[in-house]
Amino acid sequence: MENKERMKIIANNITYFRKQKGITQKELAKKIGIQPSTLSDYINLRSAPSFGIIQKLADYFEINKSDIDTTFKEKDDAVSSTKSEIQQIYDQLYEPRQIKVIDFAQDQLDEQTGKSIDVTEKRTMYKVRKRIRLPAPGKVSAGSGYWQEDDYDTMVDFYADEIPNSSDYDTIAIVVGHSMEPKIKNGDFLFIKLTNQVDLNKIGIFKVNGENYVKKLRSNYLESLNKEYNDIQLSANDDIRTIGEVVDIYREN
């Protein structure tokens, strides 16, 4: 921001809040401990107040510094944006990689400050949520159809506090496709209770003519929640089998 423009914004804001208080410039100067001529210089754009004076003004008006000098808000927004970006990346990592990020960041801070912290102590200070590794042996389609791979199997790290109890489900499958959005998205993991019968209006896993789908069961068709995709109409000629009911949906934030 240009210095002259900043000075004008500061002057206008001081005047605005002074008038709200119903006091004169001379009275305001006295309240914050400066000469009336100094305050006059701020108002007439001959000089800009120091950060200390802006803090005194903010304290007196009972407002934030950024309400007087908007450059404070710009700086805070930039820091907030950076923190948000770092946090977003961190949240996508599995626990071992999160620990590496913490270790590296702490090493950088230690070098900057000249401090030395034990790695064990460091990890205790920044303890992350517990994860549990479970097999996800299936793929199900939330699109136009996905052929189940018989040999598909992978191990996945889940946050332990975001998955159901082991007694509530029998298997886990990854979703491929978008037909059940926004409730179920591509890449979500479904926790499934194996059963050969699912109640109407429940979301289940169905094998139709050799393909595995996640759909909502209706009286004579399987519903796609995303209306950009067709429902699956069922007929006596189809080879249909109910695999199980979806009891929970897991999505990495």
Side-chain angles (χ1 to χ4, degrees):
M1 180 183 294
E2 294 287 343
N3 190 52
K4 206 69 175 179
E5 182 184 352
R6 173 175 174 262
M7 291 167 62
K8 184 177 181 181
I9 290 172
I10 291 172
N12 289 341
N13 288 335
I14 292 173
T15 300
Y16 171 78
F17 289 112
R18 175 182 65 76
K19 289 181 177 179
Q20 279 199 329
K21 279 281 190 181
I23 61 174
T24 65
Q25 280 189 205
K26 186 175 181 180
E27 289 171 330
L28 176 58
K30 184 177 180 181
K31 292 288 186 182
I32 64 172
I34 62 174
Q35 294 296 320
S37 60
T38 302
L39 182 57
S40 178
D41 286 343
Y42 302 156
I43 301 302
N44 292 298
L45 313 185
R46 288 189 288 268
S47 64
S50 66
F51 293 153
I53 296 299
I54 290 173
Q55 183 65 66
K56 288 183 178 181
L57 286 163
D59 291 343
Y60 174 70
F61 290 132
E62 298 181 316
I63 58 177
N64 296 321
K65 296 191 299 293
S66 58
D67 292 326
I68 298 174
D69 184 354
T70 56
T71 57
F72 282 105
K73 184 175 187 304
E74 291 169 0
K75 291 175 182 177
D76 291 344
D77 287 347
V79 172
S80 175
S81 174
T82 302
K83 287 182 178 178
S84 176
E85 182 180 354
I86 292 172
Q87 188 66 51
Q88 287 176 17
I89 295 172
Y90 177 86
D91 290 343
Q92 295 178 61
L93 298 172
Y94 290 158
E95 181 176 353
R97 296 182 184 276
Q98 288 177 330
I99 292 173
K100 289 181 181 180
V101 169
I102 291 169
D103 289 347
F104 177 77
Q106 188 62 58
D107 288 341
Q108 293 299 303
L109 181 60
D110 292 346
E111 288 181 13
Q112 179 174 300
T113 60
K115 294 179 181 178
S116 178
I117 298 178
D118 182 73
V119 171
T120 303
E121 177 187 353
K122 182 191 313 177
R123 291 181 178 176
T124 301
M125 291 168 56
Y126 296 92
K127 185 174 178 60
V128 294
R129 292 161 61 195
K130 181 182 177 182
R131 281 188 180 263
I132 182 171
R133 175 161 287 195
L134 297 171
K139 286 183 181 180
V140 291
S141 173
S144 57
Y146 189 93
W147 190 267
Q148 171 72 23
E149 293 182 19
D150 293 335
D151 61 350
Y152 178 76
D153 196 358
T154 188
M155 298 296 292
V156 181
D157 289 330
F158 299 96
Y159 281 119
D161 58 353
E162 290 188 7
I163 64 174
N165 294 328
S166 57
S167 59
D168 294 334
Y169 71 93
D170 298 305
T171 190
I172 304 169
I174 189 172
V175 177
V176 180
H178 305 274
S179 73
M180 294 298 284
E181 292 181 352
K183 186 175 181 64
I184 298 175
K185 296 187 176 182
N186 182 57
D188 285 353
F189 289 92
L190 304 180
F191 287 77
I192 302 162
K193 188 71 175 178
L194 299 178
T195 177
N196 58 10
Q197 183 174 343
V198 172
D199 292 337
L200 286 177
N201 303 319
K202 295 287 187 179
I203 295 177
I205 308 300
F206 306 93
K207 177 167 281 190
V208 182
N209 300 325
E211 295 175 345
N212 287 348
Y213 294 90
V214 53
K215 298 290 179 184
K216 178 178 280 191
L217 180 63
R218 298 299 191 180
S219 58
N220 60 350
Y221 67 97
L222 301 178
E223 182 184 10
S224 297
L225 300 183
N226 184 345
K227 296 311 175 185
E228 293 185 5
Y229 289 78
N230 294 328
D231 300 325
I232 298 177
Q233 304 298 326
L234 303 177
S235 72
N237 296 324
D238 290 318
D239 179 13
I240 306 165
R241 183 166 67 90
T242 300
I243 295 176
E245 181 179 338
V246 175
V247 297
D248 204 354
I249 303 164
Y250 182 92
R251 179 180 304 150
E252 285 284 358
N253 297 321

